[in-house]
Amino acid sequence: MLKTVRYDGANLIILDQSRLPGEISFEICRTVEDVAEAIIRLKVRGAPLIGVTASYGLALGIIKYQGSVLDRDLYFQRIKNILASTRPTAVNLFWALQRMEDIYKQSGDLSTPELGRLLMSEAEQMFAEDIKINEAIGEYGQELLHKDSRVMTICNAGALATCGYGTALGVIRSAYQRGKIEQVWACETRPVLQGSRLTVWELLQDRIPVTLITDSMAGYTMKLGKVDAVITGADRIAANGDTANKIGTYTLAVLAHQHDIPFYVAAPLSTIDREIDNGDLIPIEERPAEEVRQIFGINATVPEVNVFNPAFDITPHDLIDAIITQQGIIKPPYLNRL
Amino acid sequence: MLKTVRYDGANLIILDQSRLPGEISFEICRTVEDVAEAIIRLKVRGAPLIGVTASYGLALGIIKYQGSVLDRDLYFQRIKNILASTRPTAVNLFWALQRMEDIYKQSGDLSTPELGRLLMSEAEQMFAEDIKINEAIGEYGQELLHKDSRVMTICNAGALATCGYGTALGVIRSAYQRGKIEQVWACETRPVLQGSRLTVWELLQDRIPVTLITDSMAGYTMKLGKVDAVITGADRIAANGDTANKIGTYTLAVLAHQHDIPFYVAAPLSTIDREIDNGDLIPIEERPAEEVRQIFGINATVPEVNVFNPAFDITPHDLIDAIITQQGIIKPPYLNRL
C-alpha cells in the first residue's frame, strides 16, 4: 500500500486522494499553507490521517522557519491556527495539534533546527503509532463478526484514511484474514465518492470481495437480507457515544436498526472528544455547493440551484451497538466507559 | 413546459430526458424499435409516461405497417411484446398496452390506415387524460399539506415523468399555488440523477423553491427538523399497498417513519396492480453496472468492480401514510380500498 503521507527530508509528500483511483499522483507540500490547502481540498482526508498530516505540517513549518527564536512562539501559534482552521469536524486534527504543542512547550531552549527535528520525530512516531492502533482495532473488531459476514461500510475508513491498515477497513482486513468476510458492500458516498473511488480500490488491491452500490441502495440491500453488519469510521465521538461521521452514516444506522443489523463504529481513542457531552455540540462542516452540483467538473443540475451540503452527520449513541478502539470494544452504556 | 412525447403526423417526437438539463433535444422515433430503445435508454422515463409512450409506439407501428391484414394480429402481438419487454417494474406500461389491445380487438374489420388512426387517437386521448389525472391527484394531495410545508421527494415524478403536471410534483405544484410550499428538498437520485437533472430543472422553471441534496443527506436533513412530508411517485402498487418506486424510496420511508414525518405516494390508478398481492412479487429491474461505475461517462471507480444496481425498491404498505390517486386519498388499511 502506498504511503498516504511522508517527509522526504525537505518537504511533505502527500498521496493526492482526490485523483484516485484513475491517477496515482503525489502532491509536494513545501509550506504549511500547502499542507492546509491539501487538507481543505480533500487531497488528504480521513480523520486519523488529517491529524497526523497536520502534525507533519507543524513540524515542516518549524523546520522551514527562518525567524528569530524570540518570535517562534507566535509563529508556532500562527501555523497551528492555519492547520486547525482547515476542517472543523474531525477532532483528531485538534488532538494531534495539541499533542505537538505539548511537545513544543516541553522542549525547553532548543535551537530551531533541533526543535524541527524533535517535532518531525514526533510526527513520524504518530504515523507509526497510528498503524499499530489500527491493527489493534482490527484485531478487537474482528471478534464481532461471524464466519462469512457480509459487511456494509460508507466512505473510506481504510488505509487511505489513516497511516495504514485502516479503522473500519482494518476490522474488515483482520476479519478477512480469518475467513470471516464473504462480501463487503461499499456505499459510493456522494458527493465526494470516497466509497467508489477509494474503498473499492483499496479492497480490490487486497483481493477482498467488494460490491459497489449507490448510497440510495443501502436500505433495499439490507431488506433483501444481504447485510450482516455495518462498520464505519468516525470523525468525532462525543462523551455519550454520539458519533459524527461522513454524511449518510446516520441513515445507515437508522436502516441497520430497522433491520436488526448490528451497527459498529471503529475509531482510535483520539477520535473521542470527552469535552463534548453529546452529538448536537459537534460542529458539522458544510462544504461548497459545487461538490453536489457538479460531478467530475460536469454540471449535474441547474448551476444556480440552492444546495445543502453537510459533510457529516451525527449518529446518536442508541443506534450504535459497539465502538471499537485500540484498547478494546466498548458497548453501551457509553457515558462512563468512553 | 415542453411536451414529453407527441406524434407529428409521421413519427414520434420524444424529449430526450437523458440529456437534460444541459441540452434540450428531441429524439425522432420512426419505428417501434426506436420507441423501445428510447424507453430502455431512459430517454423517456417515469411510469405514466412510459405507458403513454408505449401506446403511441403501438399506434405508430400499425400506422407504418405494410403487411397484409391477415398477418396483422401476429404483427400487433410482436410489436406489443417488443414494447412490453423494455422495462419490467412499472405496471403502467402493461396497463397501457392492454388498453390498446382491447381497442384493437374491438375495432372490427378496419383497414390498416383506419386502425392506425383509431389507435393513435386512443394514445392521444391517454395523453390528455393523464394530464387531467395528475391535476386531480394534485388537487386531492395538496389537502395533506399545511401552510409553508417543506416537502422531500426523490427521482422525478413530475411533468417530465408524465404527460404533464406530474404526480408527486403535481401535488407540490397544486400546494404551491395555495401558498403551502416553503421548500422542496430534491434528492439527487443516483445513479441516473433524475432528481438533480430533472426535478430541480422542472421546479425552477415554475419558480418553486428547491434545494438539492445527495440521497445520503436525507436522514440528516430530517433529523434537523427541516422536513414536514415526503411525497414520491410509484412504479407499481400491489393490492396490499406495497409500493415499488425508484431505488432509495424505501430508505426515505424508513427515515420518515423514524422521524414521525408523513410519507405519501402519489400515483394514478393505472399504477395499482390488483393482481399482485404484495410487493415481494413485483419484479425489480436490475440495470447495467456502468450506471454506477461511471458518471457522465467518466469512471468513478475501478472499472471491473462488482456492482449491484437495482433500479427500484419496495416500500411496505405500513410505512405509507396515504396513497394519493385521481379519485381521492386512500389511507390504511389499503387492502380493500385499493
Side-chain angles (χ1 to χ4, degrees):
Chain A
M1 181 54 73
L2 302 160
K3 267 202 166 180
T4 44
V5 59
R6 67 188 173 87
Y7 178 58
D8 73 351
N11 301 298
L12 291 193
I13 311 298
I14 283 169
L15 175 63
D16 183 352
Q17 300 194 29
S18 68
R19 292 169 183 266
L20 289 175
E23 197 181 312
I24 295 170
S25 65
F26 292 88
E27 176 98 354
I28 303 171
C29 296
R30 296 181 169 81
T31 65
V32 172
E33 287 78 5
D34 287 350
V35 178
E37 191 71 7
I39 295 172
I40 290 169
R41 298 204 176 274
L42 311 183
K43 294 176 179 187
V44 174
R45 30 68 52 197
L49 182 57
I50 288 171
V52 173
T53 303
S55 297
Y56 273 105
L58 267 187
L60 183 76
I62 293 298
I63 285 172
K64 301 220 169 179
Y65 179 61
Q66 305 280 342
S68 72
V69 172
L70 217 66
D71 296 338
R72 210 169 60 190
D73 285 2
L74 221 65
Y75 173 76
F76 185 88
Q77 287 306 322
R78 193 175 72 75
I79 62 176
K80 185 189 156 206
N81 288 341
I82 288 172
L83 292 162
S85 63
T86 49
R87 301 195 66 193
T89 303
V91 77
N92 314 61
L93 171 63
F94 311 107
W95 168 85
L97 292 173
Q98 189 56 52
R99 176 164 157 176
M100 293 297 275
E101 187 169 6
D102 291 347
I103 296 289
Y104 178 88
K105 284 183 174 164
Q106 293 155 18
S107 65
D109 293 333
L110 295 183
S111 69
T112 298
E114 284 168 334
L115 181 64
R117 278 193 295 275
L118 177 71
L119 292 177
M120 189 54 81
S121 148
E122 184 71 11
E124 303 276 16
Q125 194 179 318
M126 287 167 78
F127 186 96
E129 276 174 17
D130 184 64
I131 299 175
K132 288 202 183 310
I133 287 168
N134 294 335
E135 287 168 348
I137 288 171
E139 183 65 29
Y140 281 117
Q142 61 81 22
E143 291 172 17
L144 293 168
L145 300 177
H146 57 68
K147 198 168 170 296
D148 298 327
S149 286
R150 299 153 306 169
V151 179
M152 186 174 282
T153 189
I154 188 169
C155 197
N156 172 270
L160 291 166
T162 60
C163 302
Y165 206 70
T167 52
L169 294 196
V171 173
I172 287 170
R173 280 197 165 86
S174 191
Y176 180 70
Q177 285 161 7
R178 288 166 175 82
K180 290 181 166 184
I181 299 292
E182 180 183 310
Q183 174 70 45
V184 178
W185 292 102
C187 296
E188 67 174 5
T189 320
R190 278 281 287 148
V192 183
L193 298 168
Q194 293 93 336
S196 45
R197 295 192 304 103
L198 308 179
T199 291
V200 164
W201 184 70
E202 200 183 308
L203 291 177
L204 286 182
Q205 286 200 328
D206 280 3
R207 301 180 179 220
I208 299 175
V210 55
T211 297
L212 176 65
I213 56 173
T214 66
D215 307 316
S216 58
M217 292 168 191
Y220 184 56
T221 304
M222 289 186 195
K223 187 154 169 261
L224 291 175
K226 293 170 180 279
V227 183
D228 300 303
V230 179
I231 307 181
T232 76
D235 289 80
R236 191 184 303 214
I237 301 172
N240 71 345
D242 292 354
T243 294
N245 191 48
K246 178 56 54 200
I247 188 74
T249 302
Y250 169 62
T251 290
L252 289 190
V254 170
L255 289 167
H257 184 75
Q258 167 86 3
H259 296 90
D260 285 325
I261 296 166
F263 181 91
Y264 304 125
V265 169
L269 293 170
S270 56
T271 306
I272 299 168
D273 185 353
R274 289 175 196 80
E275 292 179 16
I276 278 189
D277 287 342
N278 65 70
D280 291 341
L281 303 168
I282 300 176
I284 298 294
E285 176 183 11
E286 286 190 38
R287 294 192 50 88
E290 258 53 46
E291 283 185 356
V292 176
R293 288 188 191 132
Q294 302 185 342
I295 309 180
F296 301 136
I298 298 168
N299 276 332
T301 187
V302 181
E304 61 269 24
V305 66
N306 193 34
V307 164
F308 179 47
N309 184 18
F312 305 93
D313 58 26
I314 306 291
T315 299
H317 59 90
D318 56 358
L319 293 178
I320 301 169
D321 292 285
I323 296 173
I324 308 160
T325 74
Q326 69 267 37
Q327 289 187 7
I329 294 166
I330 309 171
K331 293 206 172 181
Y334 295 112
L335 200 51
N336 294 318
R337 298 183 187 171
L338 287 172
Chain B
M1 181 54 73
L2 302 160
K3 266 200 167 182
T4 44
V5 58
R6 69 189 172 87
Y7 178 59
D8 74 351
N11 301 297
L12 291 193
I13 311 298
I14 282 169
L15 175 62
D16 183 353
Q17 300 193 28
S18 69
R19 293 168 183 267
L20 289 174
E23 198 181 311
I24 296 170
S25 66
F26 293 87
E27 176 98 353
I28 303 171
C29 295
R30 295 182 169 82
T31 65
V32 173
E33 286 79 5
D34 287 350
V35 178
E37 191 72 7
I39 295 172
I40 290 169
R41 298 205 177 274
L42 311 183
K43 294 176 178 187
V44 174
R45 31 67 53 195
L49 182 58
I50 288 171
V52 173
T53 302
S55 297
Y56 273 106
L58 267 186
L60 183 76
I62 294 297
I63 286 172
K64 301 222 169 176
Y65 179 61
Q66 304 280 342
S68 72
V69 172
L70 216 66
D71 296 337
R72 211 172 58 192
D73 285 2
L74 221 66
Y75 172 77
F76 184 89
Q77 287 306 322
R78 193 175 74 74
I79 61 175
K80 185 188 155 205
N81 288 340
I82 289 171
L83 291 162
S85 62
T86 49
R87 301 196 66 193
T89 303
V91 76
N92 314 61
L93 171 63
F94 312 106
W95 168 86
L97 292 173
Q98 189 57 53
R99 176 163 158 179
M100 294 297 275
E101 187 169 6
D102 291 346
I103 297 288
Y104 178 87
K105 285 183 172 163
Q106 294 154 18
S107 65
D109 294 332
L110 294 184
S111 70
T112 298
E114 283 169 334
L115 181 64
R117 277 194 294 276
L118 177 70
L119 293 177
M120 189 55 81
S121 146
E122 184 70 11
E124 303 276 17
Q125 195 179 318
M126 285 166 78
F127 186 97
E129 275 174 18
D130 184 65
I131 298 174
K132 285 201 185 310
I133 287 168
N134 294 335
E135 287 169 348
I137 288 171
E139 183 65 30
Y140 281 116
Q142 60 81 21
E143 290 172 18
L144 293 168
L145 300 178
H146 57 68
K147 195 167 171 298
D148 298 328
S149 286
R150 298 152 306 168
V151 179
M152 186 174 283
T153 190
I154 187 170
C155 197
N156 172 269
L160 291 166
T162 61
C163 301
Y165 205 69
T167 53
L169 295 196
V171 174
I172 287 170
R173 280 197 165 85
S174 192
Y176 180 70
Q177 285 160 7
R178 289 168 174 80
K180 290 181 167 184
I181 299 292
E182 181 183 309
Q183 173 71 43
V184 177
W185 293 102
C187 295
E188 67 174 4
T189 319
R190 276 283 288 152
V192 182
L193 298 168
Q194 293 93 338
S196 45
R197 295 193 303 103
L198 308 179
T199 291
V200 164
W201 185 70
E202 201 183 308
L203 291 177
L204 286 182
Q205 285 198 329
D206 280 3
R207 301 181 179 217
I208 299 174
V210 56
T211 297
L212 176 64
I213 56 172
T214 66
D215 308 315
S216 58
M217 292 167 192
Y220 183 57
T221 304
M222 289 186 195
K223 189 156 168 258
L224 291 175
K226 293 170 180 280
V227 183
D228 299 304
V230 179
I231 308 181
T232 77
D235 288 80
R236 192 185 303 214
I237 301 172
N240 71 344
D242 291 354
T243 294
N245 191 48
K246 178 55 54 200
I247 187 74
T249 302
Y250 169 60
T251 291
L252 289 190
V254 169
L255 289 168
H257 185 74
Q258 168 86 3
H259 296 91
D260 286 324
I261 296 167
F263 181 91
Y264 304 125
V265 169
L269 293 170
S270 56
T271 306
I272 300 168
D273 185 353
R274 291 175 194 79
E275 293 179 15
I276 277 189
D277 287 342
N278 64 69
D280 291 341
L281 303 168
I282 300 175
I284 298 294
E285 177 183 12
E286 285 189 40
R287 293 190 52 86
E290 258 53 46
E291 283 184 358
V292 176
R293 287 189 192 130
Q294 302 184 343
I295 308 179
F296 301 135
I298 298 169
N299 276 332
T301 186
V302 182
E304 61 269 24
V305 67
N306 193 34
V307 164
F308 179 46
N309 184 18
F312 305 94
D313 58 26
I314 307 290
T315 299
H317 60 89
D318 56 359
L319 294 178
I320 301 170
D321 292 285
I323 297 173
I324 308 159
T325 75
Q326 70 267 38
Q327 290 187 7
I329 294 166
I330 309 172
K331 294 207 171 180
Y334 296 111
L335 200 53
N336 294 316
R337 298 182 188 172
L338 289 171

